[in-house]
Amino acid sequence: MKLPTQVKLVDVGPRDGLQNEKQPVSADIKIGLVHRLQDAGLMEIEVTSFVSPKWVPQMADNAEVMHGIVRKPGVLYSVLTPNMKGFEAAIAAPREEWPDEIVVFGAASEAFSQKNINCSIAESIERFAPVVAAAREKGIHVRGAMSCTVGCPYEGEIAPAKVGYLAQLMKGIGVQRVDVADTIGVGTPRKVQAAMQATLAHFDVDAISGHFHDTYGQALVNTLAALELGVWNFQSSSAGLGGCPYAKGATGNVATEDVVYMLHGMGIETGIDLDKLIDAGVYISEALGREPNSRASKAIRTKRAG
Ligand code: HMG
Ligand code: MG
């Protein structure tokens, strides 16, 4: 099959990348990361989440971060809002500080839904419905993240039918596009394609994105497998940051640098300046006191130094 000629990446580093970070990361550093990502050409950035600070302390500065970013025209800024409380907090600021898109997040696995958002799949949809309606009424886009679409840390392998069921529920409440997430990075290409196919029964290919954690080193090949189905939206984290606090042992998202290197090497456009992106990854990694978790970043920096 002919592969897409261009890909849009959402950098989820400031949110997924940092939510699980144990050491304090100041709002200024998070804002600095968002600025560097937009300067590198990212057109979509997942900035923060409006969740309980007791559950995810690292995101407690959500309003400060949204207030501090200097927006670049054309860039879409998204935030996670699991319920009306989160949505109301996200729009408590003046209009120009509202997110362009909110993300409701559910799971294809009942056990993960309970652990992550403290309710069943059916209850989560009941909670999301008014959030989706309120956002759309205000002209804010709505994305739905679907966790554990191939495997769950509590239930093991997840059948594609469960993914299709969740996608159908999301569609039913007015979610406009969905992320097919491999939360714990256990997926392999055919399994990821099966999860994508189940989602394609309910959403157009343009409304589906891949969100692959790289725990087992499969994220790039899974990206290619999704590209083969025509999927052209993906999420990744600069410097390979990340992990979900309720998915023990799962490592970060695939590094944006590695995805961009692969796509550019295949002649697929992203609009991203890889050198600037590498510098953004170095910036946040230095703030965290570690090396970027990206092979492409390491190789290119070694070459630069030589
Ligand atoms: P709950 O305890 O069931 O909520 O938590 P509740 O409505 O019963 O409220 C309990 C307390 O939380 C109350 O405070 C509420 O005010 C407060 P108290 O009276 O005890 O002081 N509360 C809130 N505070 C701030 N913002 C809110 C909010 N809602 C309630 N929005 C809840 C339910 C969803 C809030 C909780 O389970 C939670 O915050 N979970 C966090 C989950 C999370 O952020 N996970 C990581 C992101 S998802 C992810 O990483 C996966 C993804 O990357 C895709 C993938 O890889 O799979 C997207
Ligand atoms: Mg994730």
Side-chain angles (χ1 to χ4, degrees), residues 15-16 19 50 52 54 83 85 116 118 147 183 211:
R15 194 281 303 171
D16 203 340
Q19 68 183 8
F50 287 84
S52 162
K54 285 186 193 142
N83 52 19
K85 191 176 170 86
N116 194 39
N118 205 24
S147 288
T183 313
H211 176 117

Side-chain angles (χ1 to χ4, degrees), residues 12 15-17 19-20 46 49-56 59 62 80-89 103-107 112-119 127-128 143-149 151 179-185 211-213 235 243-247 250-251 253:
V12 297
R15 194 281 303 171
D16 203 340
Q19 68 183 8
N20 202 25
E46 205 169 87
S49 50
F50 287 84
V51 297
S52 162
K54 285 186 193 142
W55 285 59
V56 186
M59 296 288 110
N62 41 33
L80 267 56
T81 56
N83 52 19
M84 277 310 285
K85 191 176 170 86
F87 178 71
E88 278 156 12
V103 184
V104 290
F105 50 104
F112 190 79
S113 182
Q114 288 290 352
K115 296 273 185 191
N116 194 39
I117 51 175
N118 205 24
C119 62
R127 286 183 192 181
F128 299 156
R143 178 152 55 86
M146 305 196 297
S147 288
C148 298
T149 59
D179 312 333
V180 176
D182 182 6
T183 313
I184 54 171
H211 176 117
F212 306 131
H213 286 260
Q235 292 156 9
C244 172
Y246 299 99
T251 60
N253 294 90

Side-chain angles (χ1 to χ4, degrees), residues 28-49:
D28 279 351
I29 293 286
K30 294 169 182 166
I31 292 163
L33 175 59
V34 171
H35 289 164
R36 281 162 178 79
L37 292 172
Q38 63 194 22
D39 286 349
L42 266 300
M43 296 306 287
E44 293 196 27
I45 303 173
E46 205 169 87
V47 179
T48 185
S49 50

